[in-house]
Amino acid sequence: MAIRSFFLFILFFSSSISPVFSLYEDQVGLMDWHQQYIGKVKQAVFSSQRAGRKRVVVSTEENVIASLDLRHGEIFWRHLLGADDVIDGIDIGLGKYVITLSSGGSILRSWNLPDGQMVWESSLQGPKHSKSFLLVPTNLKFDKDNLLVVFSNGRLHAISCIDGEVLWKKDFEAESFEVQQVILPPGSDLIHVVGFAALSQFEMYQINAKNGELLKHESASFSSGFSGQVSLVSTETVVALDSTGSILLTISFQDGKISSQQTPISNLVEDSLGPAVIIPSSVSGIFAIKTDAVTIFIRVIGKGNLEVVEKTTHEIAVSDALSISEDQQAFALIQHASSEIHLTVKLAHDWDGNLLKESVKMDRQRGLVHKVFINNYIRTDRSYGFRVLIVMEDHSLLLLQQGEIVWSREDGLASIIDVTTSELPVERDGVSVAKVEHNLFEWLKGHMLKLKGTLMLASPEDMAAIQSMRLKSSEKSKMTRDHNGFRKLLIVLTRAGKLFALHTGDGRIVWSYLLRSLHKSEACQSPIGLNLYQWQVPHHHAMDENPSVLVVSRCGPSSDTSGVLSFVDTYTGKELSSLSLDHAVVQVIPLPYTDSTEQRLHLLIDADKHAHLYPKTSGALSIFKREFSNIYWYSVEDQNGIIKGHALKCKCTGEVADEFCFDTRDLWSVVFPSESEKTIATVTRKLNEVVHTQAKVVADQDVMYKYISRNLLFVATVAPKGSGEIGSVTPEESWLVAYLIDTVTGRILHRVTHHGSQGPVHAVFSENWVVYHYFNLRAHRYEMSVIEIYDQSRADNKDVWKLVLGKHNLTSPISLFSRPEVITKSQSYFFTHSLKAIAVTSTAKGITSKQLLLGTIGDQVLALDKRFLDPRRTVNPTQLEKEEGIIPLTESLPIIPQSYVTHALRVEGLRGIITVPAKLESTTLVFAHGVDLFFTQLAPSRTYDSLTEDFSYALLLITIVALVAAIFVTWRLSERKELQEKWR
Amino acid sequence: MAAVTPLLLLLLLSSAPSFSSESRNAYNINGRVKIPQGLGLGTKGYALPGRMSNVKVLLNGGQNITFLRPDGYFSFHNIPAGTHLIEVSAIGYFFSPVRVDVSARNPGKVQAALTENRKGLSELVLEPLREEQYYEIREPFSIMSLLKSPMGLMVGFMLAVAFLMPKLVENMDPEEMRRAQEEMRSQGVPSLSSLLPGGAMN
């Protein structure tokens, strides 16, 4: 379909200012897809409404509160709170309000359960930081109003459920008092607050729930101290562990008298187990302790007599208690057994009797069960049925009912760490193309419908048929490589340590794989995934190999813990191999070389500044040795404000001979004065970016040469005072400095200061320009600046005669060590919105003009032509400049609603935008991820090299038929005329 | 803009203080977002459900995020004194960011200004500057648009040539015409019928 001849012609047409990206409403979903997620569920509350659709309200680790349909798992409504607004607790009040406590217990909000509209918001202050509790008692009435009891920041509040008014509050100001539980005994107007003070003191306060009056305060001291959490076994008994983790303390405070009993764990279990921790649960009479290998369930009988009811070495998850009748509580227990999970529902007072026992087949790739939430319903025969909501290790959410998975949500995709792409398999003989266009008649009918649509002759049913036909076009979701390169696999790594492959056509999950190397193990305590790299991209001579990706992870949060590499096949989703490294991974440098099997060479820098080469093959080593002196890299030390350049020195001089380990040396360093500058952003060009031409023809037939170097680094620093939030600094004491640094020589090519400006800085580097976004405090608006850098040493090559006579310097080698003669041009503009992310479109050959993709604070992605950020813009461009496409200079950058690539959608919690070139030069693929995912195709200069989706083949056919008919008619006429001529 | 007149009216009517001090160095910012119901809604082909509940108010580029109450009021709690920026994110509307000065010296003093057009607000009531239309509107089919397209122009030109050229020929001098025809006949200019295979049979 590519019609190259139209190329220049259309390019010329597309240079008008009108928005290039624009969409008709009926085109939504043709090339784009949008998926909504919520993140790993922390807490779930089932709505007990009798009428209407069943809902479950959840809060997640992505700070989302959402109301889900219990039947299908769809989102009714959802709100994403701010990044610092971590949700501490949720509950449902009066059956129709969702109450959330967030921001360390300082913000209490109420939401309307049916539609998610916020009803009220209150801010709760307190004297000091503490644990926070949200309790919604059902029986505590106060003038027809239900009370909410909130303990936060060392203060107990009673709040009206209807309007959020604080009815009374009570401070717990004792310096060392640490609250552990807030208890509302049912059927009384009392609140019990229990906690520890001064490490070894147990304190109990009894408070009147009507007015906040302190009724009683008791304390008792325990010489052995406490450790960890306490578990509430009844409304008047708690269980705690002493500071050694080997003695259980059962403390009861019946009628305000504290009595206690100590039971060493070794009395309950014969073999010694080492220190234990209490797993908090709300099941009355039962609590659990966990040591390294064993989980033990203990029942409390009477006043402090303990009895072991079960000991298990399986991974186990317990739900909170669910009251099913006046005096009965049920809870769910999930145990793992190879490929199945066993769900049991028990009554709290009867451990041995099971209300329900089910086994459910579980996909291995979901890992362990992390959380269980139980809910009951009444079956038609009046008995109780139970359903459980489980949260898995990969952050997915599943609903189990009657031994089956009713629905599942892949909420791991809400927390993507890194993204890369992979090609699909090449079409082979086995896969038939003909199946798509199975019937010529059908095909023609479809196009006739389309034609009717364009001629506005279609009836509403026809329109619906057209729309569904376009949306399900099976072409776009095929599992083979296409000619235009639109179909690819997006490989994403999530925070849960799971890899997903998403099809770009419709966003479905092709495969998913929970990385085994990211499982907790002896050697690796808290593994975290870091990055994804393309490890093997077969083309040319290694066509039969499957492509694979490299997952780099490390064993702990600090950068000096040892690293782990895993290699995953992107066609099958199987782990090919994994390597536990004996060194740390501080930096990964993908080198632009591949070995004989198309494996990409990677250099890993460890904490001791040794460089390690991967893959560890002799072929790779010989390639590497050839390029040994051409490898440079840099490192940024944020704390000290130092940027250093490095190169390789020699083989490692350690005691163990390792061919693949190299010593490094420092080449240069740039030290920013710490009292006046603090680095806040560093950006380089994308490694795989293609630049079509170095020359840029400007208006008067003049040529400028872009300074194109892969080794340019953009650094932004701000005054240390101005590194905080907006509003914390005055314009006089804040400034922002932008640098362009050559990373091979450490030479600063350009430096510019923006006075009265501050971060955060979002920047993107492409070709010879960098665009950055920052805040201007003087104007109190956001600004975007562009710096373009041009090579002056080639400026004399314009003379044709020099080129003819060979007196040009085009063939002279370019070395970064020679001092480059560069000039820079820059310009600044106002921009309305805050940004969350910035990216630039990239195409296969780099011919197509570029667009900036701005992820705005409203979670939308705006496409802005690079021509709006051209330092050569002037207020009154000359005729020549206008012809070249220079837009008259305006104070601020335009926001054209039609150029939002996300149109009327939001990519909630937007974190990153990734652009990938398609094979078709005009088109680039855009993937935006946050809590939501969004994918679309963009053509920054319109699709000049292919026919659009709307192209009507039927119209073409009809035209041809009409032309042929016309030829025959004219032929007849011409024949008759000729005959008459001859008769004359 | 249609938004300006109701805005001014509202400013005169409402008099509740926008800022209230909570403790010594932390303040609350209270305000209201008003989305006029009639603002060109009739012309739009799409309506987004639950518009008010999906509006977010953001302070200082997302440092604090809050939501609207059913009546459109919002508040930020515990904000230090200084100059802040409030943005409103609502799908379908364009809001200007607002610069808000929270002054430590005289709490309760209102100072807010739209940053887009530098217009001062005496009360923190935020209204959209304009509606945002994310989709192109499909032009209804018309003969003119077909004629204006490159194809239409080409067809038009061809027709003009086909019908106007003979007219031009008619106006030629009859003698010259005859000479030209003679010439053509002698050279044997192929006619359309002779070009096509059927023509050879005659």
Side-chain angles (χ1 to χ4, degrees), chain B residues 9 43 112 167 193:
Chain B
L9 274 175
T43 60
K167 288 268 175 349
S193 55

Side-chain angles (χ1 to χ4, degrees), chain A residues 22-26 28 79-82 84 109 111 115-119 121 123 125 454-456 725-727 775 780-782 830 832-834 857-860 891 895 897-898 900 903-906 908 970-971 974-975 978, chain B residues 22 46 52-54 56 58 60-63 65-70 75 77-78 81-85 87 89-91 94 97 99 115-116 118 130 132-141 185 191-193 196 198-199 202:
Chain A
S22 55
L23 205 66
Y24 296 107
E25 199 173 354
D26 52 22
V28 171
H79 292 292
L80 177 67
L81 308 187
D84 302 333
R109 292 191 182 101
W111 314 83
D115 62 359
Q117 168 77 50
M118 191 175 83
V119 185
E121 180 186 54
S123 154
Q125 307 304 322
T454 36
L455 296 177
M456 297 275 163
E725 297 290 343
I726 295 162
F775 192 70
H780 219 77
R781 294 176 80 171
Y782 284 99
F830 287 126
T832 308
H833 299 297
S834 307
I857 192 79
D859 295 325
Q860 291 171 288
E891 184 192 53
I895 292 175
Q898 283 91 339
Y900 277 107
H903 41 95
L905 299 169
R906 262 183 184 158
E908 205 74 56
T970 43
W971 168 41
S974 141
E975 241 180 6
E978 212 169 320
Chain B
E22 176 96 356
Y46 69 101
M52 277 304 251
S53 66
N54 283 328
K56 277 185 198 177
L58 307 109
N60 294 343
Q63 177 196 347
I65 298 176
T66 192
F67 301 86
L68 299 185
R69 276 171 231 165
S75 37
H77 307 284
N78 292 322
T83 310
H84 302 277
L85 190 77
E87 286 169 276
S89 147
I91 289 284
F94 178 83
R99 165 201 179 127
T115 61
E116 278 296 278
R118 302 193 179 90
R130 57 176 179 266
E132 286 192 328
Q133 179 67 47
Y134 300 115
Y135 302 110
E136 295 278 297
I137 298 173
R138 247 188 219 288
E139 295 276 322
F141 176 73
R185 211 163 294 156
S191 68
L192 186 64
S193 55
L196 288 164
N202 291 2

Side-chain angles (χ1 to χ4, degrees), chain A residues 159-377:
Chain A
I159 292 153
S160 154
C161 191
I162 289 169
D163 54 7
E165 200 99 15
V166 177
L167 300 173
W168 53 259
K169 51 193 174 193
K170 166 96 186 78
D171 282 4
F172 291 82
E173 278 180 64
E175 196 51 39
S176 59
F177 178 70
E178 263 183 66
V179 68
Q180 291 295 335
Q181 282 290 345
V182 177
I183 307 148
L184 290 162
S188 73
D189 284 346
L190 299 173
I191 300 172
H192 291 157
V193 177
V194 298
F196 305 141
L199 295 172
S200 60
Q201 193 93 354
F202 181 80
E203 308 255 340
M204 194 279 290
Y205 296 86
Q206 201 176 58
I207 284 155
N208 186 343
K210 294 266 184 229
N211 51 20
E213 201 185 324
L214 178 65
L215 298 175
K216 230 174 239 174
H217 173 208
E218 295 282 327
S219 64
S221 78
F222 293 86
S223 53
S224 52
F226 304 100
S227 70
Q229 287 178 293
V230 300
S231 183
L232 197 66
V233 289
S234 77
T235 53
E236 286 167 332
T237 316
V238 294
V239 176
L241 272 168
D242 78 335
S243 52
T244 59
S246 57
I247 299 171
L248 284 166
L249 303 165
T250 319
I251 308 161
S252 71
F253 39 92
Q254 215 162 14
D255 308 323
K257 296 272 181 300
I258 296 176
S259 58
S260 71
Q261 200 155 1
Q262 302 196 358
T263 320
I265 294 176
S266 52
N267 283 13
L268 299 168
V269 194
E270 282 80 50
D271 38 339
S272 64
L273 298 162
V277 285
I278 286 188
I279 304 172
S281 89
S282 72
V283 185
S284 72
I286 289 171
F287 67 96
I289 56 171
K290 190 176 166 35
T291 61
D292 285 339
V294 197
T295 310
I296 304 162
F297 288 89
I298 299 170
R299 179 156 55 192
V300 184
I301 305 161
K303 259 194 177 179
N305 294 322
L306 305 180
E307 183 194 52
V308 175
V309 287
E310 189 158 339
K311 210 171 101 177
T312 175
T313 50
H314 288 292
E315 284 293 338
I316 203 158
V318 194
S319 77
D320 277 356
L322 171 84
S323 327
I324 49 172
S325 65
E326 278 290 301
D327 53 350
Q328 280 190 321
Q329 280 189 329
F331 66 98
L333 199 78
I334 286 188
Q335 294 189 60
H336 278 270
S338 62
S339 67
E340 281 188 334
I341 58 169
H342 299 305
L343 165 70
T344 41
V345 177
K346 292 172 193 284
L347 283 174
H349 59 265
D350 178 18
W351 182 269
D352 301 316
N354 292 335
L355 282 177
L356 183 78
K357 197 167 168 67
E358 285 170 354
S359 295
V360 183
K361 275 246 177 308
M362 188 57 68
D363 183 3
R364 267 258 165 91
Q365 302 306 335
R366 294 197 187 276
L368 305 173
V369 176
H370 275 189
K371 281 196 169 77
V372 190
F373 304 97
I374 184 170
N375 179 231
N376 63 337
Y377 59 93

